[in-house]
Amino acid sequence: MGYTCVFFHAHPDDEALLTAGTMARLAAEGHRVVLVVATEGGQGLTAPESTGGRPLGEVRRSEALASARALGCARVEFLGYGDSGLDGDTPTGDGLVPFVRVDVADAAGRLAGLLRAEDADLLTVYDPAGGYGHPDHVQVHRVGSLAARLAGTPVVLEATVDRTLLLRALRLATKVYPFPPEFDVHKFENAYAPREAITHRVNVRPYTAAKRKSMAAHVTQTTGGESARTLAALLRLPGPLFRWTLGTEWFVQQGMTPGRPLGDPLAALRGS
């Protein structure tokens, strides 16, 4: 039986980093995978030459479409809101309403319409903290959670990261990698989800080639700034290390009591 799985993200490239392996896995299994992006990421950091003189949002939209093709998505939709920036107060510069300032009920109504039209079985959002706290990520949690209730979508998974593993990896990395002086590992102590809250730990190692293609599609997000970009650093990892580092994706299913993490993102629908 095929299911329809909608992945809701804040900006182009968020899907590549958090859920690309799961998307590729579900598409390969024959399920309908739909990517919905709230903004075009016009406030993202990049080197000016990477856009070829085009508006950044326009370029990032094209990158998201290329990423979706690599993952086997059947449909991509942009809600057309403005990128709110890291502080939530940055003017978009393109006349769009910043996503963080959009009425939650209005945005949820729009997304619920898409969920109903797709007869969606599953929706992914972010955890309540928005992962590392980006205002648009927090808004995805609010909007997506309400949209699922309005549409009656039975399964809502919050895409996240195992905080325990993340902190361990970051502390190890600081011993061998020259992070910029302003980098503070302690700011991640409340980021993402604690290990005991995670309900799904999904093995996506067989799909990391598609995940790498998805990440590589976001060329603008590999350049710009005074320090190394996360996406660029990950793409430089050799194949075996890339699979080991990015071969697992984590979720918290809303309404499910945590226990031993499940390996199947569709477990609740399959009754397993």
Side-chain angles (χ1 to χ4, degrees), residues 154-158 196-201 251-269 272:
V155 176
V156 180
L157 298 181
E158 298 172 357
E196 59 271 18
I198 290 172
T199 61
H200 293 67
R201 185 173 60 234
F251 301 90
V252 175
Q253 182 170 326
Q254 292 186 0
M256 174 180 281
T257 300
R260 183 177 181 179
L262 302 170
D264 181 3
L266 299 175
L269 295 168
S272 58

Side-chain angles (χ1 to χ4, degrees), residues 78-251:
F78 294 87
L79 296 186
Y81 297 116
D83 184 348
S84 307
L86 283 172
D87 59 10
D89 294 320
T90 305
T92 63
D94 50 18
L96 299 175
V97 178
F99 184 45
V100 74
R101 298 183 190 171
V102 171
D103 181 80
V104 170
D106 288 346
R110 291 184 59 199
L111 180 58
L114 183 148
L115 295 173
R116 292 190 195 100
E118 286 284 350
D119 193 20
D121 301 291
L122 177 149
L123 173 70
T124 72
V125 294
Y126 304 135
D127 57 57
Y132 59 92
H134 192 297
D136 285 339
H137 289 222
V138 176
Q139 188 78 325
V140 161
H141 174 83
R142 296 174 184 143
V143 169
S145 299
L146 177 56
R149 292 195 295 272
L150 293 173
T153 303
V155 176
V156 180
L157 298 181
E158 298 172 357
T160 189
V161 175
D162 180 334
R163 183 192 300 161
T164 303
L165 189 61
L166 174 65
L167 288 172
R168 185 182 304 158
L170 286 174
R171 290 182 179 121
L172 178 62
T174 57
K175 299 180 184 299
V176 298
Y177 183 81
F179 284 100
E182 66 272 16
F183 179 81
D184 181 8
V185 69
H186 297 292
K187 73 178 182 179
F188 291 95
E189 289 177 352
N190 293 309
Y192 299 102
R195 175 168 293 179
E196 59 271 18
I198 290 172
T199 61
H200 293 67
R201 185 173 60 234
V202 181
N203 175 14
V204 299
R205 284 189 292 276
Y207 307 96
T208 50
K211 184 168 183 171
R212 187 188 282 270
K213 288 181 181 177
S214 168
M215 292 168 60
H218 296 283
V219 176
T220 61
Q221 298 310 290
T222 63
T223 63
E226 297 178 354
S227 58
R229 302 298 303 276
T230 300
L231 200 61
L234 292 173
L235 285 169
R236 285 196 294 269
L237 294 175
L241 185 55
F242 186 93
R243 286 191 294 276
W244 181 81
T245 304
L246 298 168
T248 302
E249 292 175 352
W250 297 269
F251 301 90

Side-chain angles (χ1 to χ4, degrees), residues 6-11 23 34-39 75-79 111 114-115 123-124 126 140:
V6 179
F7 288 75
F8 184 32
H9 285 282
H11 318 97
M23 295 167 75
V34 177
L35 172 62
V36 180
V37 188
T39 83
R75 178 183 178 185
V76 182
E77 289 292 332
F78 294 87
L79 296 186
L111 180 58
L114 183 148
L115 295 173
L123 173 70
T124 72
Y126 304 135
V140 161

